[in-house]
Amino acid sequence: MGFALDFWDYIALASLGIIGMSFLLIVIFILGLPGRIAIARNHPEADAVYTMGWLGFLGVLPWIQALIWAFKPTDVVDLRYTPRQVKKETEEMISRLKGKTPLAFADKRSSDENGAS
């Protein structure tokens, strides 16, 4: 190379390597942030938020959308599935798996047969 490398050249190379690795770790931390937030908040679409956060390096807007999506409230109440209905559906599924006629269907059949007679 025409010159000898001394102590300060190695220090400069090591500091550039440390700065480069730090920058890479910060980028990795920032890209995975929406996914980690969604997982910590038990978000129902956490896998999609995680993927969108990592694909956000292609543009800034998808990452911002993933970050907003991660903070979206997830306590959605579906009125079609009340606890009583879930319990009834679970009992029907278990009785169907056991090979028995579900109680709700048996009651309905007997009332239909009595009413038709």
Side-chain angles (χ1 to χ4, degrees), residues 2-117:
F3 60 91
L5 296 174
D6 63 350
F7 175 73
W8 296 110
D9 294 325
Y10 290 116
I11 293 294
L13 183 63
S15 62
L16 285 176
I18 290 171
I19 290 170
M21 290 299 290
S22 299
F23 178 75
L24 184 63
L25 289 174
I26 288 171
V27 168
I28 289 172
F29 176 78
I30 289 174
L31 289 178
L33 191 62
R36 286 193 304 275
I37 290 170
I39 291 169
R41 292 173 52 92
N42 293 326
H43 198 282
E45 292 100 12
D47 53 348
V49 173
Y50 183 80
T51 304
M52 191 171 174
W54 278 103
L55 293 178
F57 74 92
L58 298 173
V60 177
L61 187 61
W63 185 87
I64 293 172
Q65 289 174 339
L67 187 64
I68 292 169
W69 193 10
F71 282 108
K72 180 183 147 224
T74 59
D75 47 328
V76 177
V77 177
D78 191 355
L79 296 177
R80 295 176 294 174
Y81 302 109
T82 60
R84 186 173 0 129
Q85 185 177 359
V86 171
K87 182 179 177 185
K88 184 177 86 171
E89 289 173 359
T90 304
E91 290 172 355
E92 289 174 0
M93 179 186 63
I94 290 172
S95 62
R96 193 171 39 238
L97 290 173
K98 288 182 177 179
K100 299 178 182 176
T101 305
L103 183 61
F105 291 131
D107 292 342
K108 188 176 181 181
R109 284 184 190 167
S110 63
S111 65
D112 288 343
E113 290 172 0
N114 292 337
S117 302

